[in-house]
Amino acid sequence: MTSTSIEAEYGEINDNNRWHGVFQSIKDKCELEAKQKQFTLDESKSVSNRKYNRYRDVNPYDHSRIVLHRGDTDYINANLVKMERANRKYILTQGPLQQTVSHFWLMVWEQDSKAILMLNKLLENKQVKCHLYWPEKIGEEHRMNLTDVGLTVEYLQMEDFGNFSIRTLRLTDTESTKSREILQFHYTTWPDFGIPSSPVAFLQFLKKVRKSGALDDDVGPPVVHCSAGIGRSGTFCLVDCCLVL
């Protein structure tokens, strides 16, 4: 498909207000494929794990869910997404709940992720969409101690780029005393149920993420999240893969 035909197709859908139908057809196709391949959601729906899900209707498949290897549970609402044609891997997850902050950081540690891509604000439309999962202030005295998973998180520095910021955080395993610096790319001008205010700003954000090496295949997959981990998160991955291809 050429760029001209993509533009024409977009115009035809938009002019005739057919977006709901397009979305529904994609949704139906995906649900049919999941049914045919017998993809299950058993772990996410178990009584012991329901409290770890932000939304009742957003659950990770059993075959691709991230499995934790220490702490009081092996469950987190997160999927490994592979785009083999683009040689990309991502971990898509929900914005952490208060009771899943330690699980979130354990996933970052165990999956050897170099970066977290946060595409939402903590509070949107007067609703909490994500719990604050990093220290509020810079400095060792403000570090988070996640004793249930044997990790600490220290806030080192922050750079502000207007539409987004980049935080540097130090993640330490208290048992081995090994540490890694984790970059958090926080995009703050992408509204829930909306689109980025500027394509230029979004592409600048993507360029910074790529330049950091966070998407390279010699490090663990980046952890990508918004509130549910499907809308803005999925869109980021789609744009990145399309540009690769």
Side-chain angles (χ1 to χ4, degrees), residues 6-19 22:
I6 291 174
E7 184 178 2
E9 184 180 9
Y10 172 88
E12 192 274 325
I13 294 170
N14 205 50
D15 293 344
N16 293 285
N17 197 24
R18 291 201 301 111
W19 287 114
V22 171

Side-chain angles (χ1 to χ4, degrees), residues 120-151:
N120 62 303
K121 294 179 181 178
L122 297 173
L123 191 70
E124 295 176 334
N125 299 320
K126 298 181 180 179
Q127 291 185 321
V128 176
K129 293 299 183 82
C130 179
H131 188 75
L132 179 66
Y133 59 86
W134 65 92
E136 283 192 79
K137 296 180 180 179
I138 292 172
E140 188 177 355
E141 66 274 22
H142 303 294
R143 73 183 178 191
M144 295 176 69
N145 295 300
L146 308 172
T147 55
D148 57 330
V149 294
L151 296 171

Side-chain angles (χ1 to χ4, degrees), residues 71-84:
D72 58 356
T73 181
D74 75 353
Y75 176 78
I76 184 170
N77 191 310
N79 271 297
L80 176 64
V81 177
K82 298 180 182 179
M83 300 294 289
E84 292 180 1

Side-chain angles (χ1 to χ4, degrees), residues 26-237:
I26 294 171
K27 183 173 181 287
D28 292 344
K29 182 180 178 182
C30 291
E31 288 179 352
L32 178 62
E33 185 177 348
K35 189 175 181 180
Q36 290 172 340
K37 293 184 176 180
Q38 298 182 317
F39 289 166
T40 56
L41 302 162
D42 298 341
E43 286 298 324
S44 66
K45 294 186 175 182
S46 71
V47 175
S48 59
N49 290 334
R50 285 179 197 164
K51 62 181 178 287
Y52 300 134
N53 299 323
R54 180 172 288 278
Y55 301 106
R56 266 186 258 176
D57 60 343
V58 181
N59 300 292
Y61 289 123
D62 292 319
H63 74 277
S64 60
R65 75 180 181 94
I66 298 296
V67 177
L68 304 176
H69 297 288
R70 72 186 191 209
D72 58 356
T73 181
D74 75 353
Y75 176 78
I76 184 170
N77 191 310
N79 271 297
L80 176 64
V81 177
K82 298 180 182 179
M83 300 294 289
E84 292 180 1
R85 284 181 60 203
N87 193 30
R88 286 285 203 249
K89 291 180 182 178
Y90 315 89
I91 293 171
L92 268 64
T93 188
Q94 64 185 18
L97 298 162
Q98 184 174 3
Q99 65 268 31
T100 66
V101 168
S102 60
H103 306 157
F104 178 88
W105 281 111
L106 179 60
M107 174 174 68
V108 172
W109 179 262
E110 291 185 338
Q111 296 298 317
D112 198 28
S113 300
K114 183 173 182 176
I116 298 164
L117 314 186
M118 179 176 180
L119 306 175
N120 62 303
K121 294 179 181 178
L122 297 173
L123 191 70
E124 295 176 334
N125 299 320
K126 298 181 180 179
Q127 291 185 321
V128 176
K129 293 299 183 82
C130 179
H131 188 75
L132 179 66
Y133 59 86
W134 65 92
E136 283 192 79
K137 296 180 180 179
I138 292 172
E140 188 177 355
E141 66 274 22
H142 303 294
R143 73 183 178 191
M144 295 176 69
N145 295 300
L146 308 172
T147 55
D148 57 330
V149 294
L151 296 171
T152 65
V153 184
E154 182 185 345
Y155 187 177
L156 301 179
Q157 65 177 26
M158 191 267 280
E159 292 180 89
D160 186 4
F161 294 90
N163 289 284
F164 63 93
S165 58
I166 302 175
R167 296 183 180 91
T168 304
L169 305 154
R170 179 180 290 127
L171 184 58
T172 302
D173 178 10
T174 55
E175 186 174 334
S176 67
T177 69
K178 291 181 180 178
S179 293
R180 291 207 312 266
E181 286 192 2
I182 309 295
L183 297 174
Q184 184 211 43
F185 295 84
H186 188 185
Y187 201 99
T188 53
T189 56
W190 191 343
D192 200 9
F193 302 106
I195 59 174
S197 56
S198 163
V200 174
F202 177 79
L203 290 172
Q204 183 190 12
F205 176 80
L206 175 57
K207 185 177 179 180
K208 287 284 187 184
V209 173
R210 286 180 167 184
K211 191 175 181 180
S212 74
L215 302 176
D216 294 352
D217 56 11
D218 60 346
V219 296
V223 173
V224 188
H225 80 86
C226 42
S227 181
I230 52 177
R232 286 169 280 189
S233 299
T235 302
F236 174 89
C237 298

